[in-house]
Amino acid sequence: MVEKEKGEMENKRISTPKRGDEAPLFSWPWENLNNFKYLLYGPIAGKVLYSIYKEKTIKNDDIWCLHILILFGLRALVHQLWSTYSNMLFLNRAHRINQQGVEFSQIDAEWHWDNFLILGAVLSYLSCLSFPFLTNLPIWDSRGLLICLILHIGISEPLYYLMHRLFHFPGLFQKYHWLHHSSKVISPFTAGHASFLEHLLLCVVIGTPTLGTAFIGHGSVGLMYSYLLVFDFLRCLGHSNVEVLPCSLFQAIPLLKYLIYTPTYHSLHHMDMGTNFCLFMPLYDKLWNTINMNSWTLHKEISSRTSADCRVPDFVFLVHGVDIMSGMHAPFVFRSFSSIPFSIKPFLFPMWPYTFIVMLVMWAKSRTFLLSFYNLRGRLHQTWTVPRFGFQYFLPFAAEGINTQIEEAILKADKIGVKVISLAALNKNEGLNGGGKRFTDKHPDLRVRVVHGNTLTAAAILNEIPKDVDEVFLTGATSKLGRAIALYLARRKVKVLMLTLSKERFLKIQEEAPVDCQKYLVQVTKYQAAKHCKTWIIGKWTTPRQQYHAPSGTHFHQFVVPPVIPFRRDCTYGKLAAMRLPDDVEGLGSCEYTMERGVVHACHAGGVVHFLEGWKHHEVGAIDVDQIDVVWEAALRHGLKPV
């Protein structure tokens, strides 16, 4: 039903103007300031700090400046918490209204969603300067609550309704309101994504009950906080794209459906823009006959869904956390931060202790959960997360628990009908589970294909190496990837200096090469042995001292996680093996760790290729060198691109 409504919406959508055709008061006055816009809070904060410095306390006349800062900080927190909840797919996937994903283009468009908070703070400050009595309001006045409610229902609700309908007239819509409706999948941040003029008028809607109550003589500090925070809470509720109000509530109290709207109710306005104009009370849509007749039917349908009703993914990429800092890169923590490649930011450090506590709770209680998704050619691809971080994979006592988590995820995928599950990073560690072989051996009747994707990882690394190279230096040679790279290069008659201290392991790899290629595999035991080689392939952590042995002009290819730190300014460093997803990917709005937008680790891409090709075999254990070129050609054929 949602898809049908969406189709009707597309038919009714009005063309939007170009950027140069913006109407007066469309753009925000501080639009060109970018993040420097927060300096506009400076005068308010400065007044508070000056009062503390001069008087050793905050004067009564300046206390409202502190209230403004606190209140608008809390308003931002309300939006952030709603964003966190709406992106917790593992909690609310069944009750999502629009099943599409929020894409990078929408995240960028909504990046400065909090402009309206700055506007509200500035207008509040000016109101206090214009009406000094506002700085001396009591903490609470019970009668003010009733007056505020009357003013909201009697003035703010119908005023907003009428203004909203006016903005849907073609002339005003094409000049202003198109911006708010340009978000394909509404989110709590969409509530603030609108033109400057619209938010000026929204301030009138908000100010009528709050300032009106104060002018009547029953305003209070508590009322200001309560009204604004509840107002934002309900705005975020309507834009959350997740149905949180149960159908049974409206069945028990039928009148309630005209007193409070639901996320489904407002989502229908974004699907059919000729209905459901109200602020929070559908009563006014009822009075003016603009209620979408599907509102309650669709609400009942969505609120009654269970996880069993959810669409089954075709492909799953099973990841894990890298470290504590990267845990804050999840889409449900900071949506905007997760939409850019991960890097350590100053604002992350104060949150480290809280994230550490969450990590401990996950270690004790959590199970594999859904993190993100995208669609590719009509097929649903999901990312599931094992609730463990990188360092835990190296704790001997944690290994069995991690394997249990991975096994349960594979069995769940098999049970619900997933076609391919691809193991990421340490989830396929040789020492942990033999590159996934442990699970396919234990469960020989699995219908889901278990894939480590490293065949494409090897192909991506090998295709980075210039064709005219005749000698390389390889560390991590006895790993799954290192072995495959060494054997492949030996077949190409490239001399491979393999750094390994185990003669037995070296001979085992050498024996796997064709007889006429074995001479191209050479064991070395020290980094100094490669001081003349300018092509290094790094498969294990390399210290600055070890990197020092490379000659000037060396290029470091690598498949070690985390990547080596680039210390040599006279050398170049490659990134982890990665592939760019096909151009027709849909609903992608988060970056995969340090990868650029639209780029995924090669093992992820390897699983995607396995699924798109419809291969029926498991890709576990050792890499089949004969398949490296086959997988590479298949990846290019399906539109994946090397980075």
Side-chain angles (χ1 to χ4, degrees), residues 198-380:
E198 289 175 89
H199 275 292
L200 278 175
L201 295 175
L202 190 62
C203 286
V204 175
V205 172
I206 295 174
T208 298
T210 50
L211 295 180
T213 303
F215 283 124
I216 291 172
H218 294 285
S220 66
V221 175
L223 179 65
M224 296 291 184
Y225 274 83
S226 301
Y227 182 83
L228 285 172
L229 293 179
V230 170
F231 189 95
D232 284 344
F233 182 90
L234 292 177
R235 286 268 290 171
C236 291
L237 168 75
H239 290 87
S240 66
N241 193 40
V242 179
E243 189 49 75
V244 297
L245 298 175
C247 181
S248 57
L249 180 65
F250 296 96
Q251 291 175 337
I253 313 175
L255 182 62
L256 195 61
K257 67 182 182 180
Y258 296 112
L259 301 181
I260 185 69
Y261 75 164
T262 68
T264 303
Y265 188 92
H266 188 70
S267 293
L268 276 173
H269 170 70
H270 283 259
M271 297 173 185
D272 178 4
M273 294 186 290
T275 59
N276 294 9
F277 292 100
C278 75
L279 178 56
F280 305 132
M281 299 177 64
L283 170 65
Y284 291 94
D285 280 308
K286 178 67 174 176
L287 291 176
W288 278 291
N289 196 30
T290 54
I291 285 184
N292 189 308
M293 300 310 296
N294 292 321
S295 296
W296 312 117
T297 303
L298 186 59
H299 173 259
K300 181 177 181 180
E301 176 191 326
I302 294 174
S303 62
S304 302
R305 287 179 190 160
T306 65
S307 57
D309 301 318
C310 293
R311 181 182 172 188
V312 174
D314 299 283
F315 168 80
V316 167
F317 186 48
L318 188 64
V319 305
H320 62 78
V322 178
D323 52 37
I324 303 297
M325 286 293 193
S326 71
M328 289 175 269
H329 195 246
F332 58 81
V333 181
F334 295 112
R335 186 186 76 171
S336 56
F337 182 45
S338 72
S339 71
I340 58 177
F342 173 77
S343 61
I344 295 178
K345 305 289 186 182
F347 74 87
L348 297 178
F349 288 101
M351 299 181 62
W352 193 95
Y354 303 102
T355 310
F356 182 79
I357 293 173
V358 171
M359 181 272 294
L360 294 177
V361 173
M362 290 171 61
W363 196 352
K365 297 290 185 181
S366 184
R367 289 287 180 265
T368 298
F369 59 89
L370 171 61
L371 179 67
S372 62
F373 71 94
Y374 62 86
N375 288 279
L376 181 60
R377 293 164 196 169
R379 302 292 185 175
L380 179 61

